């Protein structure tokens, strides 16, 4: 089984309801548009796959992978692009999909980077937000849950690449490598 003790913070049912709600709001706000969903790998992949299936508007998807330097539970805000988008985003309506905003440094870098490519519009959807830890000046346009300052795993989120496959969102109580 998995090393390290976990405690469920959000059940799969609670997450499902919220993701459905977010998708309904976005579908309404982007009526008659065809946005490009930019999924930030790897953490947002589970969120993307659920979110896009609840949308009632046509969308395209693409992926970006960034690495933020730091240790496994905190970022330093220095970001490197490991995988870039395959398509041009010029004049397109872009929606960045994130798993979690913590210090906000990663997303802040990503937003500036994408804005420099002249999209038609750019908004941010995040499933989770830890506002207490914010360093960068950035707020999501759509947010699923504000959570306390605890390290969470599951539903795509990892600790040292583990626990991404847990269906519920859990607080990691013990950090075992
Ligand atoms: P930020 O630059 O500090 O906002 O960090 C954002 C990234 O750090 C997220 O996209 C996650 O990959 C990771 N991260 C931040 N908090 C957590 C957490 O509680 N669990 C797992 N990953 C996290
Ligand atoms: Mg992430």
């Amino acid at each position: 089984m998995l090393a390290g003790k976990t405690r469920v913070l959000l059940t799969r049912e609670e997450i499902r309801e919220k993701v459905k709600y977010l998708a309904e709001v976005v579908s309404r706000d982007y009526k008659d548009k065809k946005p490009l969903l930019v999924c930030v790998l790897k953490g947002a992949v589970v969120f993307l796959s659920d979110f896009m299936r609840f949308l009632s508007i046509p969308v395209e998807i693409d992926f970006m992978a960034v690495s933020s330097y730091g240790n496994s539970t905190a970022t330093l805000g220095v970001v490197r692009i490991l995988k870039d988008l395959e398509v041009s985003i010029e004049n397109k309506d872009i929606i960045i999909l994130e798993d979690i905003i913590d210090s906000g440094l990663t997303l802040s870098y990503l937003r500036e980077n994408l804005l420099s490519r002249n999209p038609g519009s750019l908004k941010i959807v995040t499933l989770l937000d830890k506002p207490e830890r914010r360093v960068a000046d950035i707020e999501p346009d759509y947010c699923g849950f504000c959570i306390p300052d605890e390290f969470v795993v599951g539903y795509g989120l990892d600790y040292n690449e583990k626990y991404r496959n847990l269906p519920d969102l859990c607080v990691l109580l013990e950090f075992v490598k």
Side-chain angles (χ1 to χ4, degrees):
M1 267 307 283
L2 294 160
K5 290 202 185 97
T6 57
R7 168 172 56 82
V8 174
L9 183 67
L10 298 168
T11 65
R12 62 201 78 180
E13 291 81 15
E14 288 172 313
I15 297 171
R16 185 180 190 279
E17 280 315 300
K18 186 69 78 170
V19 172
K20 184 165 178 275
Y21 169 76
L22 285 175
E24 284 166 1
V25 175
V26 168
S27 298
R28 206 170 54 223
D29 291 356
Y30 285 80
K31 191 174 176 296
D32 302 323
K33 294 191 173 149
K34 192 177 137 195
L36 174 72
L37 306 180
V38 173
C39 173
V40 186
L41 293 174
K42 304 173 190 169
V45 108
V46 179
F47 177 37
L48 169 77
S49 74
D50 284 344
F51 176 81
M52 65 190 282
R53 284 178 288 174
F54 284 124
L55 290 171
S56 55
I57 49 166
V59 288
E60 289 177 22
I61 62 168
D62 205 344
F63 299 88
M64 269 186 97
V66 293
S67 92
S68 23
Y69 294 96
N71 61 35
S72 32
T73 61
T75 171
L76 286 174
V78 186
V79 176
R80 193 161 53 107
I81 294 182
L82 303 176
K83 186 214 170 292
D84 207 342
L85 299 173
E86 289 176 5
V87 294
S88 159
I89 61 169
E90 200 168 345
N91 298 322
K92 287 189 186 166
D93 294 308
I94 304 304
I95 303 177
I96 301 179
L97 238 73
E98 253 292 22
D99 49 359
I100 186 164
I101 310 179
D102 187 28
S103 71
L105 292 167
T106 310
L107 200 53
S108 181
Y109 171 88
L110 207 58
R111 179 182 59 182
E112 292 317 306
N113 183 289
L114 294 184
L115 282 175
S116 73
R117 308 182 196 189
N118 300 317
S121 68
L122 183 116
K123 287 200 174 181
I124 297 164
V125 182
T126 188
L127 180 65
L128 306 165
D129 189 4
K130 279 197 233 175
E132 282 173 56
R133 299 212 355 134
R134 194 75 87 258
V135 175
D137 182 20
I138 191 156
E139 294 303 325
D141 297 285
Y142 306 90
C143 172
F145 302 92
C146 280
I147 61 167
D149 179 12
E150 291 181 293
F151 197 80
V152 289
V153 294
Y155 199 75
L157 288 94
D158 74 307
Y159 171 66
N160 279 345
E161 294 301 324
K162 288 199 283 283
Y163 306 99
R164 290 193 197 276
N165 54 316
L166 297 181
D168 304 308
L169 187 84
C170 301
V171 175
L172 193 57
L173 301 171
E174 266 174 28
F175 291 84
V176 182
K177 291 212 175 163

